[in-house]
Amino acid sequence: MVFPMVLLRLVNLVLYKLLANSCYKAAKKVKSYGFHFGYLSPKTPHQPSSLPSVNKCDLEGRVSQTLICDIHNVLLRSNSFFPYFMLVAFEGGSIFRALLLLLSCPILWILDYEQKLRVMTFITFCGLKIKNMENISRAVLPKFYLENLNLHAYEVVASAGSKVVFTSVPRVMVEGFLKEYLSVGAVIGTELDTVGSHFTGLISGSGLLVKHRALKDYFGDRKPDIGIGSSNVQDHLLISLCKEAYVVNNEEGKSNPSSVMPRDKYPKPLIFHDGRLAFLPTPSATLIMFIWLPVGILLAIYRILVGVLLPYKWAMILGVWSGIVLNVKGNVPLKSDKNKGVLYVCTHRTLLDPVFLSTSLARPLTAVTYSVSKVSEFIAPIRTVRLTRDRKKDGETMQRLLREGDLVVCPEGTTCREPYLLRFSSLFAEMADDIVPVAMNANVSMFYGTTASGLKCLDPIFFFMNPRPCYHIQILGKVPKELTCAGGWSSFEVANYIQRLLGDALGFECTTLTRRDKYMMLAGNEGIVKDDKGSKCC
């Protein structure tokens, strides 16, 4: 009888400790935050602040002063760091790692701030390559950080001459952005253990960064001039060590439209970025994505088959019926030379630009590319011809193709997601006098249909996986011959003129950046990699 009673008491104790206590914590969180995912924010004790708002900070004469702050809940309007861990898990790891992080949300719910950060760090970084994290910090995270910047806090930070950021999140997640875009001199954050070229997912022996202690270690007896923090206790301890202290209140954060950073005030223009996710992956948004994923894959297969197998008219009708939004403006131009086709010059948003143009015109087109994957060539419903990057050979190829029919070219040479046009190659201007500029733009809500460092063969599939992918096509009038090479203009003048024409039609800014600039920034190479057979792909 003694053993069963002892066992019963032990079971009762375990059930109480693990279940009852956990349920009690969960109930308190539901009461505090409601049935949503706000609990994944760094919830730490808050206290009413008597310190002045960041809006009250005088920006004059700060060039010689030193400023300290955190990034989450101060520089960023949202105080949740879960979306940024999810971006690293999805873009740098895999979809399975991202799913595991999402499934950990119920566990994260009942954990305190430090445990929550340790669990998310382990799931996100365990086995992750250091090189992948470097790519994510350079090419993916800056876009989402910029879109979430707090305008008021940024203006104060920008006014200071020397800037130091203290944060409890892993330093590798924020350092690249802070130094590249905000000119922060030093970033002091939580350090991660590594083995060889991989992260272990464990926090280094020093543990999570305690911000006010790290400040004392970094500055010694010297006090920073300005400190910006939130209303939580940890930030108050941090900024209390500064000569001047200001707080970012909740009403100045995400819910306040005046704190939103306009694109024209970005510290650096956001022209290039990479990654597949087109939305900020909050827990609820990520859950919706995973629920949509099986439907999206089937829908993408259906849309591709419709485009490949059916005539133009039926392909357009059934494509629109499946949720594709297609806006077409302008008239189909007539040929002025019966022995030569029309040269369509398009802006380059995705690999599908020539396909959508051909469907909209309801006529076959030939597209020239520098290289596409075998999969993309196989599923393309139009003819594609590879160029060699040899100007003379490529010119001869394009002349031959124009004698055979209409031709479409994308002189930017690579895609750009943002409202900018890259420098136009001038080769097309030497090929024809019948030049028709076509302003094309694509919009997605869930997945980007382009990539610089991922598998390019999946680009069309990801684009068609969006619930309502949108294409805007504006066929501009044929360029007058007096504004072409036939009218005495140089090929460079024609290319620049058409770039400006298309930029004005779309409301995009023209740049002199090239394909090489894009790939050097996003992938660390010139955009030429070898496929499995050793041939070059772009």
Side-chain angles (χ1 to χ4, degrees):
M1 285 293 291
V2 176
F3 178 77
M5 289 299 295
V6 171
L7 183 62
L8 185 62
R9 287 177 179 274
L10 182 62
V11 170
N12 183 60
L13 181 64
V14 171
L15 288 175
Y16 171 77
K17 290 292 185 182
L18 293 183
L19 296 181
N21 200 31
S22 297
C23 290
Y24 173 71
K25 288 183 178 180
K28 287 183 68 178
K29 288 181 179 289
V30 169
K31 183 178 179 181
S32 301
Y33 309 132
F35 290 95
H36 57 79
F37 291 108
Y39 61 85
L40 293 178
S41 304
K43 297 293 183 181
T44 52
H46 285 66
Q47 63 181 30
S49 176
S50 59
L51 296 173
S53 166
V54 70
N55 292 332
K56 306 297 183 183
C57 181
D58 185 7
L59 305 181
E60 297 295 328
R62 301 288 189 182
V63 178
S64 60
Q65 296 185 342
T66 300
L67 178 144
I68 62 98
C69 66
D70 196 349
I71 179 169
H72 291 283
N73 210 25
V74 179
L75 284 175
L76 301 182
R77 291 182 296 119
S78 171
N79 60 358
S80 174
F81 42 59
F82 177 89
Y84 307 102
F85 278 94
M86 178 56 72
L87 285 167
V88 176
F90 186 92
E91 305 288 5
S94 67
I95 192 171
F96 302 107
R97 187 188 293 268
L99 179 60
L100 181 60
L101 182 59
L102 178 65
L103 293 176
S104 71
C105 286
I107 299 173
L108 296 174
W109 195 356
I110 61 177
L111 299 178
D112 61 26
Y113 171 74
E114 181 174 342
Q115 293 172 332
K116 188 183 304 180
L117 196 52
R118 285 179 179 273
V119 170
M120 282 197 286
T121 300
F122 181 78
I123 295 174
T124 302
F125 285 93
C126 181
L128 186 71
K129 290 183 178 180
I130 297 175
K131 182 180 179 181
N132 288 354
M133 183 61 233
E134 291 173 350
N135 291 338
I136 299 304
S137 66
R138 180 180 64 249
V140 177
L141 291 175
K143 170 187 182 294
F144 296 94
Y145 285 142
L146 283 172
E147 291 176 348
N148 205 17
L149 271 182
N150 185 313
L151 176 61
H152 306 310
Y154 165 72
E155 289 176 338
V156 177
V157 171
S159 69
S162 176
K163 299 171 270 283
V164 181
V165 171
F166 295 88
T167 182
S168 298
V169 302
R171 176 183 53 82
V172 293
M173 290 181 63
V174 298
E175 184 175 39
F177 167 74
L178 291 171
K179 289 188 173 182
E180 178 70 20
Y181 285 85
L182 302 189
S183 301
V184 172
V187 179
I188 316 299
T190 298
E191 299 294 336
L192 303 181
D193 280 336
T194 60
V195 174
S197 60
H198 293 76
F199 292 101
T200 65
L202 301 176
I203 293 172
S204 66
S206 57
L208 284 179
L209 184 85
V210 180
K211 291 183 282 189
H212 65 280
R213 294 177 187 170
L215 185 146
K216 290 180 179 178
D217 292 339
Y218 186 84
F219 285 97
D221 296 332
R222 184 166 57 94
K223 280 191 172 185
D225 297 293
I226 316 166
I228 307 176
S230 63
S231 55
N232 69 52
V233 174
Q234 290 185 10
D235 278 8
H236 270 256
L237 288 173
L238 177 70
I239 62 180
S240 66
L241 302 174
C242 303
K243 297 176 182 177
E244 296 180 54
Y246 301 89
V247 293
V248 178
N249 298 316
N250 292 334
E251 59 270 17
E252 296 162 353
K254 191 172 183 179
S255 60
N256 187 357
S258 68
S259 67
V260 176
M261 173 75 76
R263 176 179 285 273
D264 60 358
K265 289 190 177 182
Y266 281 0
K268 287 178 61 176
L270 177 66
I271 301 176
F272 300 128
H273 58 86
D274 204 12
R276 291 295 189 184
L277 296 183
F279 63 97
L280 183 67
T282 60
S284 55
T286 307
L287 177 62
I288 292 171
M289 180 199 72
F290 275 104
I291 293 173
W292 170 259
L293 207 54
V295 179
I297 293 173
L298 293 175
L299 192 57
I301 294 172
Y302 165 79
R303 288 167 171 170
I304 291 172
L305 290 176
V306 163
V308 172
L309 300 177
L310 298 181
Y312 297 116
K313 182 179 179 180
W314 283 104
M316 183 178 291
I317 292 173
L318 294 178
V320 171
W321 176 81
S322 73
I324 297 174
V325 179
L326 187 59
N327 298 320
V328 183
K329 296 180 181 180
N331 299 317
V332 179
L334 299 175
K335 295 182 181 180
S336 58
D337 186 348
K338 294 182 180 180
N339 297 321
K340 208 169 189 180
V342 176
L343 180 62
Y344 294 92
V345 180
C346 301
T347 53
H348 204 6
R349 311 311 286 177
T350 77
L351 190 65
L352 298 165
D353 297 331
V355 175
F356 274 96
L357 178 60
S358 178
T359 304
S360 303
L361 296 174
R363 64 167 64 171
L365 298 176
T366 300
V368 290
T369 66
Y370 284 116
S371 183
V372 294
S373 69
K374 296 292 185 181
V375 174
S376 299
E377 285 185 323
F378 177 74
I379 65 176
I382 64 173
R383 181 188 179 192
T384 61
V385 177
R386 297 193 183 201
L387 300 180
T388 63
R389 298 194 184 279
D390 183 302
R391 190 178 182 88
K392 182 178 179 181
K393 290 182 179 179
D394 291 343
E396 293 172 352
T397 300
M398 293 172 67
Q399 289 282 12
R400 174 176 55 81
L401 294 173
L402 278 169
R403 289 194 294 269
E404 297 173 2
D406 295 341
L407 184 66
V408 55
V409 298
C410 300
E412 289 175 276
T414 188
T415 57
C416 183
R417 298 172 177 178
E418 297 300 316
Y420 297 91
L421 293 184
L422 307 186
R423 191 183 74 188
F424 277 27
S425 169
S426 61
L427 178 61
F428 75 89
E430 303 171 8
M431 299 299 107
D433 299 330
D434 286 348
I435 300 175
V436 178
V438 182
M440 307 193 75
N441 194 16
N443 299 109
V444 295
S445 58
M446 192 171 288
F447 302 108
Y448 284 115
T450 61
T451 182
S453 56
L455 294 174
K456 295 182 181 298
C457 61
L458 298 180
D459 285 358
I461 297 174
F462 270 104
F463 179 83
F464 283 126
M465 280 171 58
N466 285 284
R468 290 182 64 81
C470 182
Y471 244 100
H472 300 276
I473 302 174
Q474 185 177 355
I475 304 170
L476 306 182
K478 189 181 296 185
V479 177
K481 285 195 175 182
E482 59 268 22
L483 301 180
T484 67
C485 292
W489 283 35
S490 70
S491 59
F492 298 102
E493 290 174 326
V494 175
N496 291 337
Y497 168 73
I498 294 179
Q499 185 199 37
R500 289 194 301 270
L501 195 67
L502 292 172
D504 292 341
L506 292 168
F508 289 1
E509 183 177 338
C510 297
T511 74
T512 58
L513 296 172
T514 65
R515 175 183 171 282
R516 183 178 182 275
D517 296 323
K518 170 185 170 179
Y519 280 89
M520 287 299 295
M521 175 183 173
L522 299 184
N525 57 59
E526 296 186 9
I528 301 175
V529 296
K530 292 184 177 180
D531 62 16
D532 295 336
K533 296 181 179 180
S535 60
K536 291 183 178 180
C537 298
C538 304

